[in-house]
Amino acid sequence: MASVGDFTVLSSSIPATKVELSVSCRNLLDRDTFSKSDPICVLYTQAIGNKEWREFGRTEVIDNTLNPDFVRKFIMDYFFEERENLRFDFYDVDSKSPNLSKHDFLGQMFCTLGEIVGSQGSRLEKSIVLFWFFSTENCMLSVIFLYYPFQDSVLMQFCANKLDKKDFFGKSDPFLVFHRSNEDGSFTICHKTEVVKNTLNPVWQAFKISVRALCNGDFDRTIKVEVYDWDRDGSHDFIGEFTTSYRELSRGQSQFNVYEVINPKKKGKKKKYVNSGTVSKYILCYWIFNVNLILASTGNPSQPTSLHYMNPYQLNAYGMALRAVGEIIQDYDSDKMFPALGFGARLPPDGRVSHEFALNGNPQNPYCHGIDGVMEAYYRSLKSVQLYGPTNFAPVINHVARYAASVKDGSQYFVLLIITDGVISDMAQTKESIVNASKLPMSIIIVGVGPAEFDAMEELDGDVVRISSRGRFAERDIVQFVPFRDYIDRSGNHVLSMARLAKDVLAEIPEQFLSYMRVRGIKPSPAPPPYTPPIHFGILTHIVF
């Protein structure tokens, strides 16, 4: 099956991006005696801070199949900065009753919306698990999820190859005309590209068009595209045409998005006629994020007064902030292997001061498995290192900036997350580092923990006054600061308060990312070609702590 859905999100000013989820299953359990199962998929969502699952919607029932491709889609709001838990239940429908308990349960699968969006080609494959009540056997099934960006506008670009030559003294001056089909079968023009002069292999500029104008929100509505050779007198020569749909276009750059340009008159006259060239979807969205996290503070973690206090009954402030943000970010990483670093400590055995050490104690391989692995390494490091000042921010900012400076083509974007008690010993150097980093593909998030005043952090944030150093101002605002204490729920509902923290910490990342790309005119790189099952997930977001 082809992977689907690679359009660019054009503006983060929209509160949420609408996404469409398409569900397909393979090798479902056969619960019918004389035929195959009649499957249905039921989607449930879980509210933040609430363990209750609520039904979101159901697909249609498909009769007599173990390999359903459901037509009815789930259209949802997607927030980059929030964790959105999903549960997909599958049933074999035995009657017309809407009561699911009347039907045979086939299994279920859990994931987050971020996992689907973050998977390679926006396509996620996982096993459906059926827990037998009278047996220890687990039935593992395969399910594929496809993701479509469903947004007000989309960005598309096309190129053509070997178009017919129409000009006597030159080649052709081709342009495209897009038509939306109407309910009565007629067509209405909805977009024209610019003319590319004297070429049979044009590359047209990317253009933005509303989904409603293109297909009236109907993904399967026919879109007709005509190719013309421009003439000064307006009598443009018809080269050929092809038809497609928004759903086909959303598949990205692949063999599915190469269209033969056909001239019906030439095809009717010439027996050996093949086509009048081809048109291809040209660029799609495929960027890689690198998120770096640094922990910094001083104090004895065995003392209750320390912000790093290792309380056996609850997480400390550092642990709570790390888990709140990390559990959302990790959905955008394929292998869940995260290098984790700390700074501001004396290291064994000689007690040297380091501002860049591996939390797991292995500088050659600082990777930890998942956020749980990072948490384990963090708490283990508290037992082996002595937290120590000064607290210098510049070295870690420069550390990430060196990586960002090596990939300024837009293929990667770096986010540095610093959790700190607010003490900073190198303010002047840090401001200079931020000014330099503002020209690079990176953002900096600072979470301040503890009761200290965070005037220095507020200054680095630059929301009121753009940060400067030695007469140079930051090219753009790349620092976001939030004080952890503003998110402590006095009622003890840490789940809800940490969800608010993660939301505010991550909310500005999409716009900062897009602003860097826009200023430099960087367009998305082509997405990788679709994979056939089994899927090996590629990295969309690489998390570096």
Side-chain angles (χ1 to χ4, degrees), residues 339-544:
L341 302 175
F343 76 110
R346 288 187 180 274
L347 305 185
D350 56 359
R352 65 182 179 86
V353 177
S354 173
H355 293 284
E356 193 179 312
F357 63 91
L359 291 183
N360 65 2
N362 186 350
Q364 281 73 43
N365 184 20
Y367 288 84
C368 303
H369 182 68
I371 294 304
D372 288 337
V374 175
M375 297 289 293
E376 181 182 352
Y378 162 59
Y379 279 106
R380 191 187 305 122
S381 71
L382 293 178
K383 299 176 182 179
S384 61
V385 304
Q386 177 188 356
L387 301 178
Y388 191 81
T391 305
N392 295 335
F393 281 33
V396 293
I397 295 175
N398 294 337
H399 173 92
V400 176
R402 284 194 294 272
Y403 288 98
S406 66
V407 285
K408 291 189 289 186
D409 60 352
S411 61
Q412 298 187 44
Y413 192 85
F414 295 76
V415 179
L416 170 62
L417 173 60
I418 301 176
I419 304 178
T420 178
D421 61 4
V423 176
I424 180 170
S425 307
D426 61 341
M427 186 65 172
Q429 293 89 339
T430 296
K431 292 170 71 174
E432 183 171 5
S433 296
I434 292 173
V435 170
N436 293 335
S438 68
K439 300 178 180 180
L440 302 175
M442 65 179 287
S443 295
I444 302 170
I445 296 171
I446 303 173
V447 178
V449 297
E453 294 298 327
F454 292 111
D455 293 345
M457 300 300 104
E458 297 281 5
E459 184 178 351
L460 295 179
D461 192 313
D463 283 343
V464 178
V465 179
R466 181 68 59 88
I467 191 171
S468 64
S469 174
R470 296 195 287 185
R472 293 187 303 124
F473 284 86
E475 182 178 293
R476 57 195 180 96
D477 180 14
I478 64 169
V479 179
Q480 165 76 348
F481 167 72
V482 293
F484 181 82
R485 58 177 175 244
D486 289 355
Y487 299 87
I488 298 177
D489 193 318
R490 304 303 177 186
S491 66
N493 190 342
H494 294 306
V495 174
L496 187 59
S497 59
M498 290 306 96
R500 290 194 300 110
L501 169 67
K503 179 178 180 179
D504 288 352
V505 161
L506 297 172
E508 293 187 8
I509 296 301
E511 178 56 34
Q512 291 179 355
F513 161 71
L514 289 173
S515 68
Y516 175 84
M517 302 301 173
R518 289 194 198 105
V519 167
R520 281 153 183 79
I522 298 174
K523 296 182 174 64
S525 301
Y531 287 84
T532 54
I535 294 177
H536 302 283
F537 300 121
I539 295 177
L540 176 64
T541 304
H542 183 55
I543 304 177
V544 182

